[in-house]
Amino acid sequence: MAKVRLATVWLSGCSGCHMSFLDQDEKLLELAGEIELVYSPIADVKNFPENVDITLVEGAVGNEEQLELLKRIRKNTKILVALGDCAVNGNVTALRNSLNNSVEEVLKKAYVENATLKQNTPTHVPRLLKKALALNEAVKVDFYVPGCPPSANLINYVLNELLEGRTPALEGRFKYG
Amino acid sequence: MKPDELRNLAQKEDELRKSYRYRINVCCSSGCMPFGALKVLSAFKDAVKESGVEEECYVARTGCIGTCSIAPAVLVEPGDYLYQNVTPEKAKEIVKEHIVNNRPVKSMLYGNEAYFKKQLRIVLRNAGKIDPLRIEDYIAVGGYYALLKALTRMTPEGVIEEVALSGLKGRGGAGFLTGLKWRYVARATGSPKYVIANLDEGDPGVFANRTLAEADPHAIIEGMTIAAYAVGASKGYIYVRSEYPLAVETLKKAIEAAKSMGLLGEKIFETAFSFDIELRLGAGAFVAGEETAILASIEGRRAMPRPRPPYPAQSGLWGKPTLINNVETLANIPVILLKGSEWFSSIGTKNCTGTKCFSLTGKVNNPGLIEVPMGITLREVVFEIGGGVPPGRRFKAVQVGGPSGGFLPEQLLDLPIDYESLTKAGAIMGSGGIVVLDDTSCMVDTAKFFTEFCVDESCGKCTPCRAGLYKLYKILDGFTQGEGDIQDLDKVEDLCEFIKEASLCGLGQTAPNPTLTTLKYFRDEYVSHIVEKKCPAGKCFKDGGGAGS
Amino acid sequence: MSKTVELTIDGKKVAAKEGDNILKVARENNIYIPALCYLEGVSSLGGCRVCVVEIRGSPKVFASCVTPVAEGMEVITDSERLRRYRKWAIELLLAERPHVCSVCVANGNCELQQLATELGVDHLRVDRKWTNYELDLTHERFAYDPNRCILCTRCIRVCDEVEGVHAIDLMLRGKNSKVIFDLDDKWGFAESCTSCGKCSAVCPVGALYVKGKPLSEVKKKELVSFVMSRRSEKTIG
Ligand SMILES: Cc1cc2nc3c(=O)[nH]c(=O)nc-3n(C[C@H](O)[C@H](O)[C@H](O)COP(=O)(O)O)c2cc1C
Ligand code: SF4
Ligand code: SF4
Ligand code: SF4
Ligand code: SF4
Ligand code: FES
């Protein structure tokens, strides 16, 4: 039987969700028999591939580059899973949305007011979106795994359910924050 | 006042009225005032004097006749000749031709006979025909006779029975049987009991209650006093919005006049019954018209609705049994007592008797205040009374019931106007607003507009209305800017169901109606916004158009 | 003096005091109905609508915390529809103001967060509103973050009905409603406040809290029952 093609993606998040993913420890080995990791920050693949079965996305959508990538992910993925609070609802990444929604204000706060060296805003990086978006504010999302980070057990549960072709039942299993 | 005094006064006034061959009624209500009605009034008085017909022609300052689109309006009796857009110059000519030469000035008459033909004026029986500031005018046309009859010849239970038999339902929106409500209050234990007349009328574009108060305040006072007698109340409040200064002023003077004649106060008509009325001004929030919010407001608290039960009938003002009725409901009462429940219930339909006042506005040729028998069809109202949509335009929809009323399409125009049919179609009777839309209106944009109104008017107490309506508004706003996808329509329907079913008061429970009905009857417009990013009416996507991110 | 009535809740026969609300009666009989703005011991608001139930014979749903029991009533506390409505209520509250649990003092001790878990509100179908209310840190012992407030009015009711002070109320209406102290004074300058701490003890979320103490250290549930058991006392430590 062909292995399930799995991708994991790291957008605007702290990588904590990926840490939690790795925390599945020995259960990862069990998964490894069934999946092929086709794209991930922990695998060296340049472009997001086609025909992906399941993609776990960590992080909110913070800039234009990420938005492009997410749209490509959506196009190439059967099941898109929002992994962790940032992906699910913006979380810490989206705290900046409270600052009058002005990108300039955000950059000034981060790179000028609170910086000690080199007080100027960066120019050679992708443009920030006006608002940091939860994944479902940009594309259709199939499943959600909240948590900051979601526990390794929860991630494992959801993956196993999906591999079995079942719908994960999240009631009572997750916790925001 | 003694019973005989009322009769004598009525007779005297009637004779006085008959001693004039003509009566010129100049509307001086909120609709006509801004167009110079007072100048027209004095022009008539001067002209009558100058022409020397003072003995034959009486010039009266009256309330609204209902045709606000032709302000200032003037009604000449006998014959009910209605002159439109009268100016001081035209006044002179009318006096010269119509009064002196007995030749009505055809060119100045309101030519629209259909406007009145289909109407039946019970609540507005005196509107535009009596001087609201002269209690004698009201008495001359039979005013306070019903009160006299109730107090001297009927028991409180007998009054309730008569009202119950008439089939009258509350005109404030919910359509609750008035007789039944009175019975609840009458049977409730607790003293004192209160009567509240609801004149909050917070719906934008609705002015029937205001007109009634400005044109015939004593009809409200008399109805209220009868209600008080029936339920055993000793104190009444008229809750009127402060944005209605003329109505407030008129009611104030009318209450004073009734008091000075002994028609209000201690031992009315020398019976054991005493009743007093005070005005209470509301601070102009739509939700303040909801009955439990009124209770809070009169008690001096924030005008926020509270859950029922307990109903005001059991525990109202300061925990005492309280009857709350709309002023239009109350204005029906004197007529019902005088003409009888059988007569009343012969008007309208079997389940929905009597008449209803509507404020007819929007894209319609003859806007104004109308009163029609229940059961009349929307088509008759829009196309016959209203004269249809302006030339060159196509009818699209009619909204019935104020800001949270549903929109009905052409194919439902033959729907009879009654509480059940309207509710079933997704509209409501509400406080009687009818807004006509033509093909220049975008239904998505219109749903958004009324949702926004309800967002602003939500009191904030319960989650569905406070938080849900705002999100609904955001989604609709997104549609008008090219956002969203077709699956969002299911989400919208689901959210609407939650708001409708789970909100605490009528505001939240009805606020999704504009969205739900436009989705039901004009779904193609949503689809074209969402899928084709096109607004059929050319209203949306104004700035740049196209999809956002 | 008060009569006893009999009703069924989810088919179970229970006896109740006439006039009591369904939610209270259900709890007394160990039947669980999710609820949020309800607080036993003070008046009911009926605002959050999480506690909705069905009553056989009626097509409507009823907020159980404000619906009195009646003889022969058949209450249904769980159905597909009720679950759908409760989810909406929680979802809308989460979306109404920025709830970022990971950086919230109430994380792990929040009734809203708990209900989201329980009812499976694992994402939001509506846009979130990123309000930017100023944090009020002027009181020496307590703090108020309007960005977390869900307008349940528990604080208002407990301050008014238990502490007897009414230092808290609502300002503005609808989506702009805001909990304020005295006449929209900063808490530290609200003269009528006796600093009793009851409001922060009953706040179900991270909007009112004791400074310098993560809520995980404040055993919230116990504190609430403590406050309620000492209704007559004027101040607590
Ligand atoms: C949001 C809201 C606004 C209302 N506004 C009015 C109003 O302006 N006038 C009115 O008579 N009833 C209004 N009502 C209805 C009243 O609550 C109440 O049903 C009515 O006054 C009862 O009188 P009735 O039985 O004569 O209709 C409103 C209800 C709601 C929910
Ligand atoms: S439905 Fe709206 S207006 Fe009525 S109580 Fe709820 S929030 Fe207030
Ligand atoms: S108040 Fe509760 S739901 Fe809101 S952020 Fe804090 S923990 Fe999360
Ligand atoms: S600390 Fe006590 S007195 Fe002060 S606001 Fe809170 S409940 Fe009221
Ligand atoms: S501050 Fe807390 S207790 Fe008070 S209304 Fe807001 S959420 Fe409720
Ligand atoms: S707990 Fe009943 S409405 Fe909030």
Side-chain angles (χ1 to χ4, degrees), chain B residues 276-298:
Chain B
D276 200 7
I277 298 178
E278 263 183 60
L279 287 185
R280 279 288 182 278
L281 302 198
F286 177 45
V287 74
E290 195 278 340
E291 56 187 29
T292 60
I294 290 187
L295 296 177
S297 175
I298 294 182

PDB file of all heavy atoms in Angstrom, chain B residues 276-298:
ATOM      1  N   ASP B 276     -55.006  58.630  36.916  1.00  0.00           N
ATOM      2  CA  ASP B 276     -54.154  59.754  36.579  1.00  0.00           C
ATOM      3  C   ASP B 276     -53.084  59.302  35.590  1.00  0.00           C
ATOM      4  O   ASP B 276     -52.643  58.158  35.636  1.00  0.00           O
ATOM      5  CB  ASP B 276     -53.494  60.262  37.863  1.00  0.00           C
ATOM      6  CG  ASP B 276     -53.000  61.677  37.688  1.00  0.00           C
ATOM      7  OD1 ASP B 276     -53.299  62.280  36.641  1.00  0.00           O
ATOM      8  OD2 ASP B 276     -52.309  62.169  38.593  1.00  0.00           O
ATOM      9  N   ILE B 277     -52.707  60.207  34.691  1.00  0.00           N
ATOM     10  CA  ILE B 277     -51.701  59.845  33.682  1.00  0.00           C
ATOM     11  C   ILE B 277     -50.516  60.796  33.751  1.00  0.00           C
ATOM     12  O   ILE B 277     -50.677  62.007  33.892  1.00  0.00           O
ATOM     13  CB  ILE B 277     -52.300  59.905  32.253  1.00  0.00           C
ATOM     14  CG1 ILE B 277     -53.432  58.898  32.101  1.00  0.00           C
ATOM     15  CG2 ILE B 277     -51.218  59.641  31.206  1.00  0.00           C
ATOM     16  CD1 ILE B 277     -54.094  58.930  30.735  1.00  0.00           C
ATOM     17  N   GLU B 278     -49.325  60.228  33.645  1.00  0.00           N
ATOM     18  CA  GLU B 278     -48.115  61.041  33.545  1.00  0.00           C
ATOM     19  C   GLU B 278     -47.355  60.659  32.292  1.00  0.00           C
ATOM     20  O   GLU B 278     -47.412  59.524  31.848  1.00  0.00           O
ATOM     21  CB  GLU B 278     -47.198  60.744  34.741  1.00  0.00           C
ATOM     22  CG  GLU B 278     -47.311  61.715  35.895  1.00  0.00           C
ATOM     23  CD  GLU B 278     -46.308  61.352  36.982  1.00  0.00           C
ATOM     24  OE1 GLU B 278     -45.099  61.361  36.674  1.00  0.00           O
ATOM     25  OE2 GLU B 278     -46.737  61.043  38.106  1.00  0.00           O
ATOM     26  N   LEU B 279     -46.599  61.612  31.768  1.00  0.00           N
ATOM     27  CA  LEU B 279     -45.739  61.306  30.629  1.00  0.00           C
ATOM     28  C   LEU B 279     -44.368  60.878  31.130  1.00  0.00           C
ATOM     29  O   LEU B 279     -43.888  61.383  32.131  1.00  0.00           O
ATOM     30  CB  LEU B 279     -45.544  62.550  29.758  1.00  0.00           C
ATOM     31  CG  LEU B 279     -46.695  63.028  28.894  1.00  0.00           C
ATOM     32  CD1 LEU B 279     -46.230  64.189  28.041  1.00  0.00           C
ATOM     33  CD2 LEU B 279     -47.182  61.900  28.003  1.00  0.00           C
ATOM     34  N   ARG B 280     -43.771  59.951  30.436  1.00  0.00           N
ATOM     35  CA  ARG B 280     -42.381  59.585  30.706  1.00  0.00           C
ATOM     36  C   ARG B 280     -41.639  59.610  29.389  1.00  0.00           C
ATOM     37  O   ARG B 280     -42.080  58.993  28.417  1.00  0.00           O
ATOM     38  CB  ARG B 280     -42.287  58.180  31.313  1.00  0.00           C
ATOM     39  CG  ARG B 280     -42.559  58.132  32.793  1.00  0.00           C
ATOM     40  CD  ARG B 280     -41.397  58.735  33.570  1.00  0.00           C
ATOM     41  NE  ARG B 280     -41.597  58.655  35.002  1.00  0.00           N
ATOM     42  CZ  ARG B 280     -42.326  59.491  35.732  1.00  0.00           C
ATOM     43  NH1 ARG B 280     -42.925  60.502  35.123  1.00  0.00           N
ATOM     44  NH2 ARG B 280     -42.448  59.335  37.016  1.00  0.00           N
ATOM     45  N   LEU B 281     -40.532  60.320  29.348  1.00  0.00           N
ATOM     46  CA  LEU B 281     -39.801  60.431  28.098  1.00  0.00           C
ATOM     47  C   LEU B 281     -38.705  59.382  28.008  1.00  0.00           C
ATOM     48  O   LEU B 281     -37.955  59.176  28.950  1.00  0.00           O
ATOM     49  CB  LEU B 281     -39.176  61.822  27.960  1.00  0.00           C
ATOM     50  CG  LEU B 281     -40.148  63.000  28.016  1.00  0.00           C
ATOM     51  CD1 LEU B 281     -39.503  64.244  27.429  1.00  0.00           C
ATOM     52  CD2 LEU B 281     -41.432  62.690  27.256  1.00  0.00           C
ATOM     53  N   GLY B 282     -38.646  58.722  26.863  1.00  0.00           N
ATOM     54  CA  GLY B 282     -37.587  57.740  26.634  1.00  0.00           C
ATOM     55  C   GLY B 282     -36.426  58.416  25.926  1.00  0.00           C
ATOM     56  O   GLY B 282     -36.586  59.431  25.264  1.00  0.00           O
ATOM     57  N   ALA B 283     -35.267  57.824  26.084  1.00  0.00           N
ATOM     58  CA  ALA B 283     -34.087  58.461  25.520  1.00  0.00           C
ATOM     59  C   ALA B 283     -33.775  57.968  24.117  1.00  0.00           C
ATOM     60  O   ALA B 283     -32.644  58.001  23.666  1.00  0.00           O
ATOM     61  CB  ALA B 283     -32.893  58.250  26.437  1.00  0.00           C
ATOM     62  N   GLY B 284     -34.792  57.484  23.426  1.00  0.00           N
ATOM     63  CA  GLY B 284     -34.599  57.227  22.017  1.00  0.00           C
ATOM     64  C   GLY B 284     -33.712  56.072  21.640  1.00  0.00           C
ATOM     65  O   GLY B 284     -32.793  56.218  20.845  1.00  0.00           O
ATOM     66  N   ALA B 285     -33.946  54.912  22.226  1.00  0.00           N
ATOM     67  CA  ALA B 285     -33.289  53.714  21.738  1.00  0.00           C
ATOM     68  C   ALA B 285     -34.390  52.799  21.233  1.00  0.00           C
ATOM     69  O   ALA B 285     -35.457  52.735  21.830  1.00  0.00           O
ATOM     70  CB  ALA B 285     -32.506  53.028  22.844  1.00  0.00           C
ATOM     71  N   PHE B 286     -34.137  52.115  20.150  1.00  0.00           N
ATOM     72  CA  PHE B 286     -35.131  51.217  19.569  1.00  0.00           C
ATOM     73  C   PHE B 286     -35.586  50.197  20.615  1.00  0.00           C
ATOM     74  O   PHE B 286     -36.771  49.953  20.804  1.00  0.00           O
ATOM     75  CB  PHE B 286     -34.490  50.516  18.361  1.00  0.00           C
ATOM     76  CG  PHE B 286     -35.367  49.505  17.685  1.00  0.00           C
ATOM     77  CD1 PHE B 286     -36.689  49.774  17.402  1.00  0.00           C
ATOM     78  CD2 PHE B 286     -34.842  48.281  17.298  1.00  0.00           C
ATOM     79  CE1 PHE B 286     -37.487  48.835  16.754  1.00  0.00           C
ATOM     80  CE2 PHE B 286     -35.621  47.345  16.649  1.00  0.00           C
ATOM     81  CZ  PHE B 286     -36.945  47.620  16.384  1.00  0.00           C
ATOM     82  N   VAL B 287     -34.618  49.639  21.330  1.00  0.00           N
ATOM     83  CA  VAL B 287     -34.922  48.569  22.268  1.00  0.00           C
ATOM     84  C   VAL B 287     -35.705  49.081  23.477  1.00  0.00           C
ATOM     85  O   VAL B 287     -36.349  48.313  24.179  1.00  0.00           O
ATOM     86  CB  VAL B 287     -33.632  47.843  22.700  1.00  0.00           C
ATOM     87  CG1 VAL B 287     -32.822  48.702  23.660  1.00  0.00           C
ATOM     88  CG2 VAL B 287     -33.935  46.493  23.307  1.00  0.00           C
ATOM     89  N   ALA B 288     -35.691  50.383  23.710  1.00  0.00           N
ATOM     90  CA  ALA B 288     -36.412  50.941  24.846  1.00  0.00           C
ATOM     91  C   ALA B 288     -37.916  50.777  24.678  1.00  0.00           C
ATOM     92  O   ALA B 288     -38.672  50.952  25.623  1.00  0.00           O
ATOM     93  CB  ALA B 288     -36.060  52.413  25.036  1.00  0.00           C
ATOM     94  N   GLY B 289     -38.374  50.422  23.484  1.00  0.00           N
ATOM     95  CA  GLY B 289     -39.797  50.203  23.259  1.00  0.00           C
ATOM     96  C   GLY B 289     -40.249  48.812  23.663  1.00  0.00           C
ATOM     97  O   GLY B 289     -41.433  48.525  23.724  1.00  0.00           O
ATOM     98  N   GLU B 290     -39.288  47.932  23.923  1.00  0.00           N
ATOM     99  CA  GLU B 290     -39.625  46.582  24.375  1.00  0.00           C
ATOM    100  C   GLU B 290     -40.204  46.703  25.779  1.00  0.00           C
ATOM    101  O   GLU B 290     -39.713  47.477  26.594  1.00  0.00           O
ATOM    102  CB  GLU B 290     -38.362  45.708  24.357  1.00  0.00           C
ATOM    103  CG  GLU B 290     -38.615  44.229  24.456  1.00  0.00           C
ATOM    104  CD  GLU B 290     -38.826  43.721  25.866  1.00  0.00           C
ATOM    105  OE1 GLU B 290     -38.422  44.405  26.820  1.00  0.00           O
ATOM    106  OE2 GLU B 290     -39.415  42.648  26.025  1.00  0.00           O
ATOM    107  N   GLU B 291     -41.219  45.930  26.072  1.00  0.00           N
ATOM    108  CA  GLU B 291     -42.004  46.225  27.285  1.00  0.00           C
ATOM    109  C   GLU B 291     -41.218  46.133  28.595  1.00  0.00           C
ATOM    110  O   GLU B 291     -41.394  46.970  29.480  1.00  0.00           O
ATOM    111  CB  GLU B 291     -43.268  45.384  27.336  1.00  0.00           C
ATOM    112  CG  GLU B 291     -43.049  43.878  27.262  1.00  0.00           C
ATOM    113  CD  GLU B 291     -44.380  43.139  27.154  1.00  0.00           C
ATOM    114  OE1 GLU B 291     -45.332  43.705  26.617  1.00  0.00           O
ATOM    115  OE2 GLU B 291     -44.451  42.005  27.647  1.00  0.00           O
ATOM    116  N   THR B 292     -40.336  45.148  28.708  1.00  0.00           N
ATOM    117  CA  THR B 292     -39.607  45.063  29.974  1.00  0.00           C
ATOM    118  C   THR B 292     -38.527  46.142  30.061  1.00  0.00           C
ATOM    119  O   THR B 292     -38.139  46.546  31.151  1.00  0.00           O
ATOM    120  CB  THR B 292     -38.981  43.669  30.175  1.00  0.00           C
ATOM    121  OG1 THR B 292     -38.077  43.397  29.108  1.00  0.00           O
ATOM    122  CG2 THR B 292     -40.037  42.586  30.245  1.00  0.00           C
ATOM    123  N   ALA B 293     -38.064  46.606  28.899  1.00  0.00           N
ATOM    124  CA  ALA B 293     -37.103  47.712  28.898  1.00  0.00           C
ATOM    125  C   ALA B 293     -37.797  48.997  29.350  1.00  0.00           C
ATOM    126  O   ALA B 293     -37.207  49.832  30.052  1.00  0.00           O
ATOM    127  CB  ALA B 293     -36.484  47.888  27.513  1.00  0.00           C
ATOM    128  N   ILE B 294     -39.059  49.156  28.937  1.00  0.00           N
ATOM    129  CA  ILE B 294     -39.830  50.326  29.372  1.00  0.00           C
ATOM    130  C   ILE B 294     -39.979  50.316  30.892  1.00  0.00           C
ATOM    131  O   ILE B 294     -39.821  51.346  31.562  1.00  0.00           O
ATOM    132  CB  ILE B 294     -41.233  50.337  28.718  1.00  0.00           C
ATOM    133  CG1 ILE B 294     -41.094  50.622  27.236  1.00  0.00           C
ATOM    134  CG2 ILE B 294     -42.144  51.356  29.392  1.00  0.00           C
ATOM    135  CD1 ILE B 294     -42.419  50.814  26.526  1.00  0.00           C
ATOM    136  N   LEU B 295     -40.260  49.150  31.428  1.00  0.00           N
ATOM    137  CA  LEU B 295     -40.398  49.042  32.882  1.00  0.00           C
ATOM    138  C   LEU B 295     -39.124  49.542  33.549  1.00  0.00           C
ATOM    139  O   LEU B 295     -39.162  50.370  34.465  1.00  0.00           O
ATOM    140  CB  LEU B 295     -40.658  47.590  33.295  1.00  0.00           C
ATOM    141  CG  LEU B 295     -41.950  46.943  32.812  1.00  0.00           C
ATOM    142  CD1 LEU B 295     -42.011  45.481  33.247  1.00  0.00           C
ATOM    143  CD2 LEU B 295     -43.162  47.708  33.344  1.00  0.00           C
ATOM    144  N   ALA B 296     -37.973  49.035  33.063  1.00  0.00           N
ATOM    145  CA  ALA B 296     -36.698  49.434  33.650  1.00  0.00           C
ATOM    146  C   ALA B 296     -36.513  50.935  33.526  1.00  0.00           C
ATOM    147  O   ALA B 296     -36.099  51.616  34.472  1.00  0.00           O
ATOM    148  CB  ALA B 296     -35.553  48.683  32.974  1.00  0.00           C
ATOM    149  N   SER B 297     -36.844  51.458  32.356  1.00  0.00           N
ATOM    150  CA  SER B 297     -36.625  52.885  32.114  1.00  0.00           C
ATOM    151  C   SER B 297     -37.508  53.743  33.019  1.00  0.00           C
ATOM    152  O   SER B 297     -37.049  54.729  33.601  1.00  0.00           O
ATOM    153  CB  SER B 297     -36.902  53.191  30.640  1.00  0.00           C
ATOM    154  OG  SER B 297     -36.814  54.560  30.390  1.00  0.00           O
ATOM    155  N   ILE B 298     -38.772  53.394  33.164  1.00  0.00           N
ATOM    156  CA  ILE B 298     -39.656  54.184  34.023  1.00  0.00           C
ATOM    157  C   ILE B 298     -39.202  54.092  35.481  1.00  0.00           C
ATOM    158  O   ILE B 298     -39.297  55.047  36.240  1.00  0.00           O
ATOM    159  CB  ILE B 298     -41.133  53.733  33.863  1.00  0.00           C
ATOM    160  CG1 ILE B 298     -41.620  54.063  32.451  1.00  0.00           C
ATOM    161  CG2 ILE B 298     -42.039  54.425  34.896  1.00  0.00           C
ATOM    162  CD1 ILE B 298     -43.071  53.705  32.174  1.00  0.00           C
TER     163      ILE B 298
END
